[in-house]
Amino acid sequence: MTRVLVVDDEPQILRALRINLRVRGYEVDTAATGGQALEVAGHHPPDLVILDLGLPDLDGVEVIGGLRGWTSAPIIVLSGRADSTDKVKALDAGADDYVTKPFGMDELLARMRAAIRRAAPAEETPQVRLGGLVIDLAAKRVIRQDGPDIRLTPTEWHLLEVLLRHPGKLMSQRQLLAEVWGPGYADATGNLRLYMTQLRRKLEPDPARPRWLLTEPGMGYRYQPDEDERQEAGVSLPRQQRLDHRRKSRGPEGAPGGRPGAPAGER
């Protein structure tokens, strides 16, 4: 049985989540403070943590840091803070996802399932399909069905591999910079934008309106699989988000979607 630790100082949210999660077969522990959360997690290691940032004793980011010192269990932040700065801080501290209050239970459950699947030991998936392209991560080849292979630089490969190995997950700019370029490049966001633009030019049918390599403004980037690829990768999105994704791909009057007038590197 999957053990979930819910951390929130609002009694009604603790009660609602405890009831809803137990009905769905989860084992649930609760905590109303950051100190209590760390203590409970130490005695009963969770498989997943749902964490509010606005706790009475510790900031939620501190709690994330405390948990990340010894556990890799997925952490989903559930907070009323909608500012992108708070989201980036939580993600950089080690959170896996961020849900803003008020929230829908179906969406939260879908994000929990996706986080648990990503955390589970998975078989190696060396090939990913992007439309008419096959990305062979083991052989480091981009195979085009109707033409020669697409060549990528070593840095482009590294960046693409990090994104593809985390389907559906928001990767902050700092996470990607540290992973691809190293700890000394935490502020080199221009490098990241440049290489994302290059990847889109090589891999996206319409680089100005990306289909798979998406920008989350002010936060980072996400590899968004198509519906069939998402199922194979174990990524589940709520119904409304699937509908929004389809609308974006169609755009107005059936035209390709996207944010008009935005530079290619900022989409």
Side-chain angles (χ1 to χ4, degrees):
M1 183 180 294
T2 301
R3 180 183 289 271
V4 179
L5 171 60
V6 181
V7 187
D8 202 300
D9 63 341
E10 298 183 45
Q12 62 272 29
I13 289 183
L14 283 183
R15 181 175 182 275
L17 287 176
R18 183 172 59 245
I19 292 171
N20 276 278
L21 295 179
R22 284 180 175 171
V23 165
R24 289 166 173 82
Y26 293 98
E27 188 171 355
V28 183
D29 296 313
T30 61
T33 67
Q36 185 182 3
L38 295 174
E39 182 178 355
V40 171
H43 286 95
H44 305 287
D47 299 305
L48 181 138
V49 179
I50 299 174
L51 173 69
D52 182 24
L53 293 183
L55 300 172
D57 57 341
L58 298 173
D59 187 83
V61 173
E62 296 179 79
V63 179
I64 294 171
L67 291 170
R68 280 292 171 256
W70 60 274
T71 179
S72 59
I75 300 173
I76 298 178
V77 170
L78 186 63
S79 177
R81 301 179 188 177
D83 187 86
S84 62
T85 301
D86 293 310
K87 297 180 180 181
V88 169
K89 286 181 180 178
L91 292 166
D92 283 341
D96 294 87
D97 208 343
Y98 197 109
V99 178
T100 304
K101 297 177 181 177
F103 62 95
M105 185 58 66
D106 287 343
E107 177 181 358
L108 178 61
L109 290 168
R111 289 177 183 268
M112 288 174 58
R113 292 191 296 269
I116 291 169
R117 282 193 294 265
R118 287 195 299 266
E123 296 181 0
E124 186 70 12
T125 54
Q127 290 192 346
V128 177
R129 185 176 298 277
L130 301 181
L133 303 176
V134 175
I135 314 296
D136 190 329
L137 297 174
K140 294 194 180 301
R141 292 179 60 198
V142 180
I143 304 166
R144 185 162 43 191
Q145 294 179 353
D146 56 354
D149 289 1
I150 295 174
R151 299 180 65 85
L152 299 182
T153 68
T155 301
E156 289 170 347
W157 264 116
H158 197 171
L159 176 58
L160 179 62
E161 183 172 7
V162 172
L163 290 167
L164 294 185
R165 290 194 184 279
H166 298 85
K169 180 179 179 180
L170 171 61
M171 305 291 291
S172 75
Q173 293 182 1
R174 285 183 176 272
Q175 284 177 306
L176 290 171
L177 287 167
E179 182 80 18
V180 179
W181 282 272
Y185 289 82
D187 298 320
T189 55
N191 285 5
L192 185 55
R193 287 195 298 270
L194 173 63
Y195 277 89
M196 285 299 299
T197 299
Q198 292 175 185
L199 281 177
R200 286 167 174 158
R201 286 174 179 165
K202 293 181 178 182
L203 305 179
E204 293 277 2
D206 184 354
R209 296 175 175 82
R211 175 177 170 185
W212 303 293
L213 305 178
L214 307 182
T215 297
E216 298 288 348
M219 292 183 286
Y221 299 91
R222 186 193 308 267
Y223 159 53
Q224 189 65 64
D226 288 331
E227 188 68 28
D228 53 347
E229 293 296 319
R230 185 182 301 124
Q231 291 172 1
E232 291 180 12
V235 179
S236 177
L237 292 179
R239 180 175 180 273
Q240 186 59 48
Q241 193 170 343
R242 294 199 302 269
L243 293 174
D244 291 343
H245 179 67
R246 290 168 187 164
R247 291 192 192 103
K248 288 178 182 178
S249 66
R250 289 195 303 265
E253 303 299 329
R259 189 159 51 89
E266 293 298 314
R267 297 173 189 269

